[in-house]
Amino acid sequence: MSEILTPYLKAVEYIRTKSGGVTPEIGVILGSGLGSLGDQIENPTIIPYNEIPGFPVSTAIGHKSRLVIGDLGGKKVVAMQGRFHFYEGYTMEQVTFPIRVLKLLGIKYLFVSNAAGGLNLSYRVGDLMVIKDQINMMPNPLIGPNAEEFGPRFPDMTHPYDVELRRLARKLAGEMGIHLQEGVYIACTGPSYETRAEYKFFRTIGSDAVGMSTVPEVIVARHCDLRVFGMSVITDLAREDMPDDYVTDGEEIVKAANQATSKMTALFEKMIAAI
């Protein structure tokens, strides 16, 4: 057994012991202000991150910092109520550590969500954006020795977000009367919000929404050959033409995410039941 696997296997063993050996099929990562989906999980086993070997602890606003394992949409799921960010001072290996743990637990699908700034001029606060592609402005989490047990040295990223899952999302959202945007998410390191010039630059190169997460996790998930579905809740408008007195406020972003989370939660549950 490769030494690379050792810390992941320790975490997996602890989680299995706590959950009674449950093998989840679907993993869900819940971003800023979006943790309420975890509260919908039935027969839950709740494990604080600080109890799991190798897990960091979330310090970001709106992150509960715990793992929830149980039933949702008739499937066994494991949800991360809170994620880890590069800006918190964690390494990329720490940021993406849970993804490989979830893979070893048995998941085949990964649902990721985040709160994001809307770069696309047609977006409004509260919109749900299905992520169809991504742009990475962070260090790549696969830099360093390759973990062959998880995936190849040079993984393909042509379709980071699963085409069939995106199609399913559009179908179910139409039936539920939920309007969806679909666009490209660009990830920056943070923790400072972007400048007006950066907003303009990001939109010019093809971005529709901007945030500080998700992309590292998706890169590692695809390296592990997980099928990924991603969604951004547009919580503020990231544009260069904002009023001179406009200030991007983290607390307000979490409030906006909370207001939109019921729609996202309902859609995620329907999708999980359908796959």
Side-chain angles (χ1 to χ4, degrees), residues 27-29 34 83 109-115 128-134 159-163 165-167 169-170 180-185 214-215 217-218 221-222 227-233 264 267-268 271:
V28 186
I29 301 177
L34 301 171
R83 56 155 51 92
Y109 300 87
L110 181 69
F111 282 59
V112 295
S113 65
N114 59 56
L128 300 181
M129 185 192 85
V130 173
I131 307 175
K132 66 179 180 181
D133 209 340
Q134 63 189 31
H159 300 289
Y161 298 90
D162 192 89
V163 175
L165 292 178
R166 286 162 42 206
R167 187 179 298 120
R170 291 192 296 270
L180 294 181
Q181 306 284 6
E182 190 168 29
V184 176
Y185 176 87
T214 302
V215 167
E217 298 150 331
V218 171
R222 292 302 302 133
R227 296 178 64 181
V228 178
F229 177 77
M231 177 167 283
S232 295
V233 177
M264 190 200 75
L267 181 57
F268 271 28
M271 289 183 68

Side-chain angles (χ1 to χ4, degrees), residues 81-96:
Q81 287 188 305
R83 56 155 51 92
F84 314 117
H85 304 80
F86 191 55
Y87 68 72
E88 294 175 84
Y90 293 124
T91 65
M92 277 298 174
E93 183 178 5
Q94 290 174 305
V95 168
T96 58

Side-chain angles (χ1 to χ4, degrees), residues 9-10 29-31 34 37-38 54 69 71 82 94 96 104 131-132 144-145 176 181 183 185 223 242 256:
L9 292 174
K10 286 182 178 178
I29 301 177
L30 300 167
L34 301 171
L37 183 144
I69 303 171
D71 304 306
Q94 290 174 305
T96 58
L104 292 174
I131 307 175
K132 66 179 180 181
M176 299 166 70
Q181 306 284 6
Y185 176 87
H223 181 249
M242 300 302 287

